[in-house]
Amino acid sequence: MPARRMTRFWADRRLALKGLVVIALPLAILLGALVSLYIASNAEVRAENDVRRAFAIQRDTYQVHALLAEAAAGVRGYALTGQERFLEPYRKAEASLPPTMVRLDQAIRDREVRERFNRINELTARKREGLKSIVDLARNGNRAAIEPALVSNKIVLDAMRQEIELIQRREGVLLDQRRARVDEVRGRFLLLTAISAVVGLLGSLAAVYLFSTGIVRRVQILEANAELLARGEELAEMPDDADEIGRLAQRMARASALLRGREQALRESEERFRLVIEEVQDYGIFALDPQGVVTSWNLGAQRIKGWEAEEILGHHFSRFYPEETRGHLPAQMLERARRDGTAEDEGWRLRKDGSPFWANVVITALHDEHGALRGFAKVTRDMTERRRSEEALRFAREEAIAANLAKSEFLSRTSHELRTPMSAILGFGQLLELDEDQFEPRHREALSQIMKAGRHLLSLINDLLDISSIEAGGAELNLEQIDLGELLQEVHGLAAPIVATAGLKFVLEQPAEPLVAWADRRRVVQVMLNLVSNAAKYNRTGSQVRLTCSSKGRDIRVEVEDDGTGVASSEVSRLFTPFDRLGQQSRAKVDGTGLGLALSKRLVESMGGQIGYEAPEQGARFWFTLPSRARSSSARSKAGKQRA
């Protein structure tokens, strides 16, 4: 009975009271849920901001280290070479570090990270001061102080790296905590969203059920407005009521205005994009349908190809290709774009007037949201000037090669032409030497000068012939397996008189084990004699010349070392330059052709080895390497037969 009386009492109440009771309660719950959602949303935003700030701190700390590392490498390159281009990373670091440090200072909230950031700030200042001082030292030419400065700066960079790793570790912990907080807030957010949705649905159902007879017309208007909103059209006017339906209508009207504003902005953005594409003049940008027919045309395409838009729209893009490629290349390009997404090609294309130009072409396939092919975007760039430059460079290179070959041919022919009369001069000179005792002293001295000059000139001619023969690819090499220990002993015997004449001791250090090289025996002897002769001629302050060889991995290394004054560091790069006889202006004249080292370099390289110079604590050390082969009995037998 009490339940029936309660139901009756409720049924007899006015609609306004029912609305107040039935709608107010769910609305109050809904408002509370919305407030909770707002709070949860703000909490999620704050948590996400914390996560983004952690990422930003990690990125900026890495950037600080990267900028300083690149600046240090650039400064080191500048200190070693003196070239200004190496200072570009240093200048970039000087420009980028201050704002990066300011961002870090503003972003860091954690106390531990703040303490490490302060240490990084101090190390950064020290690093920048050290790099500046190295640049100043390099510009002032104070190279002795550069190496300690570089070492000190590296220590600072290592310390900074450790601090940054600690910050990254700490920020990683904080990032995990903040992500967990974001997930927690998002979970609450989803729960509140579900509760709000349920409460809102129940309230709406109750309102519709209780007020259906009084609000059907307005609901029908709202339904019609919803359809208009979906189509993006202007909504019908609603009564200016203050109840829930009125507020809903107002919100819908605002949503409609916002949607139309966004659509307008989108249309304007698309229009701006279209204008940008159409106004680009350095690139021909146009669209093709799936069959390759031109559907759009920008000013760049018009400038490059010569066709107006109305002249080319609706025509197949194969019109741009020369006759010899028109039948197959356009179809192949479209097929590659369909298969791979993009297709790129360089080749000759035609302008409207028929003139060719060299083009770089990229065709990109365009698909809709379902993956269906909608057409292609084609970008064309005129590369004719670059092509001409490449052709000119190729012609210049070919001409340089031809000139070098002509030079080698000239040297070879000239040397051959000089060799014949020179041999005759030396032959007659040797005949005169047979009767030298019958000559007066002044005639004997003249004959000696003739023979000395003739032999010197013949040596020069032979060296020129060797160099020109190697450069022309005509040097004959008899490659065989040779025992370096025996060969060093032979060279020691041949060069001992030369070294003794210079008043020096000739030291031979035999290898501890047999060493076999794959080389031309006569050429190796020639290289060794050149190096030993140079050491004897230029060692005016020392006491000895040392000859030795050893195994270095898969190669054998031969060294000729003296304890004289050595070679100035500024002249090392010119050691193997033909006719460049270093130091003649500061020391007594030394006989020579100026071709010995250059010839030795070419001979060693033609046998597959390398040659170089090192500066020991005192004197000079020249070395060269020869490829080695495993020594076996059959190889020794074969090598012996070749030598025989």
Side-chain angles (χ1 to χ4, degrees):
M1 288 298 293
R4 289 186 60 187
R5 285 198 298 271
M6 182 63 66
T7 302
R8 188 61 192 174
F9 175 80
W10 178 254
D12 292 341
R13 300 283 71 79
R14 296 176 62 182
L15 188 58
L17 180 59
K18 290 180 180 179
L20 181 62
V21 173
V22 174
I23 296 177
L25 182 59
L27 280 178
I29 297 174
L30 180 60
L31 289 174
L34 289 174
V35 171
S36 300
L37 286 174
Y38 177 76
I39 295 173
S41 177
N42 285 342
E44 183 179 14
V45 169
R46 289 194 299 271
E48 289 177 348
N49 287 337
D50 289 339
V51 171
R52 283 193 290 270
R53 188 168 58 253
F55 279 122
I57 291 172
Q58 291 179 335
R59 180 198 64 218
D60 286 339
T61 52
Y62 276 127
Q63 185 178 5
V64 169
H65 181 265
L67 286 170
L68 287 174
E70 291 174 357
V75 169
R76 184 164 53 252
Y78 174 73
L80 293 175
T81 65
Q83 298 182 13
E84 285 291 330
R85 61 187 180 88
F86 284 100
L87 292 180
E88 188 60 32
Y90 169 73
R91 298 190 182 101
K92 178 182 176 183
E94 286 295 307
S96 302
L97 278 173
T100 303
M101 298 301 290
V102 170
R103 286 199 305 272
L104 281 171
D105 186 52
Q106 294 173 350
I108 292 174
R109 306 288 175 80
D110 185 70
R111 185 178 62 185
E112 179 180 343
V113 176
R114 169 65 63 180
E115 293 175 355
R116 299 197 180 282
F117 170 73
N118 291 335
R119 287 197 286 274
I120 288 177
N121 207 358
E122 296 174 358
L123 291 171
T124 300
R126 289 173 53 193
K127 182 68 175 177
R128 292 173 63 189
E129 292 175 0
L131 292 177
K132 184 177 183 300
S133 66
I134 293 173
V135 172
D136 293 337
L137 289 172
R139 285 175 176 165
N140 295 332
N142 189 358
R143 308 191 66 85
I146 289 177
E147 183 175 356
L150 288 173
V151 173
S152 175
N153 267 266
K154 184 180 183 301
I155 294 173
V156 173
L157 189 61
D158 291 341
M160 180 180 296
R161 184 185 300 110
Q162 294 176 359
E163 293 294 336
I164 288 175
E165 289 176 356
L166 293 174
I167 285 182
Q168 297 296 334
R169 205 171 298 148
R170 176 60 179 168
E171 283 296 330
V173 174
L174 295 175
L175 183 61
D176 292 338
Q177 296 174 355
R178 291 164 182 168
R179 283 176 173 167
R181 187 159 65 250
V182 169
D183 293 338
E184 179 183 357
V185 172
R186 187 175 290 115
R188 293 200 303 267
F189 182 86
L190 292 175
L191 179 62
L192 288 174
T193 301
I195 294 173
S196 300
V198 172
V199 170
L201 178 63
L202 293 176
S204 300
L205 291 175
V208 170
Y209 176 76
L210 292 174
F211 296 98
S212 59
T213 58
I215 62 173
V216 170
R217 182 179 59 84
R218 291 197 294 168
V219 168
Q220 290 175 343
I221 297 175
L222 283 175
E223 182 181 4
N225 280 345
E227 294 180 359
L228 294 173
L229 179 64
R231 295 197 298 267
E233 300 178 6
E234 188 175 355
L235 303 184
E237 289 190 6
M238 289 283 295
D240 191 13
D241 297 327
D243 59 6
E244 291 78 7
I245 296 179
R247 291 196 294 273
L248 179 59
Q250 294 169 9
R251 290 170 183 165
M252 188 177 292
R254 289 196 295 269
S256 176
L258 179 61
L259 180 60
R260 289 199 305 275
R262 289 180 176 176
E263 289 179 348
Q264 180 64 26
L266 179 60
R267 284 194 294 270
E268 293 175 354
S269 176
E270 291 177 346
E271 179 66 15
R272 286 194 297 270
F273 179 73
R274 183 186 65 81
L275 291 176
V276 168
I277 294 298
E278 290 184 352
E279 295 297 327
V280 170
Q281 297 191 15
D282 291 336
Y283 292 84
I285 304 174
F286 52 95
L288 309 174
D289 67 7
Q291 287 72 42
V293 175
V294 179
T295 58
S296 71
W297 195 252
N298 79 327
L299 289 179
Q302 177 180 328
R303 184 188 68 82
I304 293 172
K305 298 179 181 292
W307 278 281
E308 300 285 345
E310 57 271 14
E311 295 175 322
I312 199 64
L313 293 178
H315 294 273
H316 199 271
F317 82 108
S318 59
R319 295 185 66 178
F320 311 139
Y321 288 75
E323 193 67 33
E324 59 269 18
T325 60
R326 186 176 300 167
H328 63 278
L329 188 55
Q332 291 176 2
M333 292 288 290
L334 294 185
E335 180 59 31
R336 284 169 52 197
R338 289 190 189 97
R339 184 183 67 247
D340 303 330
T342 61
E344 185 173 359
D345 180 52
E346 282 197 9
W348 292 109
R349 301 293 186 269
L350 296 179
R351 294 187 173 91
K352 178 183 176 181
D353 59 6
S355 61
F357 69 97
W358 188 264
N360 174 267
V361 176
V362 178
I363 298 179
T364 303
L366 304 177
H367 301 85
D368 59 18
E369 63 273 12
H370 304 296
L373 181 67
R374 299 293 300 275
F376 303 91
K378 189 169 184 287
V379 180
T380 301
R381 187 179 181 188
D382 188 351
M383 308 294 288
T384 306
E385 290 302 321
R386 190 199 72 178
R387 175 76 174 181
R388 289 173 180 168
S389 298
E390 290 175 349
E391 288 293 325
L393 182 60
R394 183 175 63 82
F395 290 148
R397 186 182 300 112
E398 291 176 354
E399 289 178 357
I401 293 173
N404 188 55
L405 292 177
K407 181 262 296 181
S408 298
E409 180 67 19
F410 170 75
L411 287 177
S412 178
R413 291 187 177 184
T414 302
S415 299
H416 276 294
E417 293 297 329
L418 291 174
R419 199 172 189 177
T420 300
M422 197 66 250
S423 298
I425 292 173
L426 289 176
F428 284 113
Q430 289 172 351
L431 291 176
L432 291 174
E433 282 182 331
L434 296 176
D435 300 324
E436 183 178 3
D437 295 338
Q438 302 176 12
F439 297 158
E440 297 180 4
R442 59 188 183 88
H443 292 157
R444 285 198 298 272
E445 182 180 354
L447 177 60
S448 175
Q449 292 296 326
I450 290 173
M451 295 302 295
K452 182 178 180 182
R455 292 189 182 99
H456 178 78
L457 185 56
L458 183 61
S459 175
L460 175 60
I461 293 171
N462 289 333
D463 288 346
L464 283 173
L465 280 172
D466 284 338
I467 288 181
S468 60
S469 177
I470 294 171
E471 290 182 345
E476 295 183 0
L477 295 176
N478 181 24
L479 298 180
E480 59 180 336
Q481 289 183 331
I482 57 176
D483 188 322
L484 264 297
E486 296 178 1
L487 199 63
L488 260 63
Q489 188 68 42
E490 178 182 340
V491 171
H492 183 267
L494 292 173
I498 300 174
V499 178
T501 302
L504 302 173
K505 179 182 178 182
F506 196 1
V507 178
L508 173 63
E509 295 183 4
Q510 287 282 10
E513 57 183 2
L515 297 177
V516 176
W518 188 256
D520 185 308
R521 181 184 185 87
R522 182 174 67 86
R523 295 302 192 179
V524 174
V525 170
Q526 184 178 355
V527 173
M528 290 185 185
L529 289 176
N530 274 339
L531 297 181
V532 172
S533 175
N534 273 359
K537 285 190 294 185
Y538 292 102
N539 185 1
R540 298 301 181 88
T541 60
S543 60
Q544 68 175 13
V545 175
R546 184 177 65 91
L547 175 64
T548 184
C549 69
S550 60
S551 177
K552 295 292 182 182
R554 301 179 62 182
D555 295 331
I556 297 175
R557 173 168 165 145
V558 179
E559 295 181 359
V560 176
E561 182 178 342
D562 65 76
D563 57 353
T565 56
V567 179
S569 58
S570 60
E571 298 178 342
V572 171
S573 61
R574 298 160 48 200
L575 276 173
F576 299 95
T577 304
F579 303 107
D580 193 353
R581 304 190 62 211
L582 306 180
Q584 290 300 299
Q585 68 279 5
S586 60
R587 62 164 66 104
K589 295 293 182 179
V590 178
D591 291 338
T593 64
L595 291 173
L597 290 179
L599 177 60
S600 297
K601 177 178 175 65
R602 285 163 172 76
L603 288 175
V604 169
E605 291 176 350
S606 68
M607 292 184 288
Q610 295 180 331
I611 189 169
Y613 168 80
E614 293 176 352
E617 293 184 0
Q618 181 179 357
R621 180 188 300 133
F622 286 87
W623 59 267
F624 66 92
T625 63
L626 296 171
S628 64
R629 292 279 183 98
R631 190 173 188 182
S632 61
S633 58
S634 60
R636 285 195 302 270
S637 174
K638 182 178 179 181
K641 292 178 181 179
Q642 289 177 343
R643 286 195 297 271

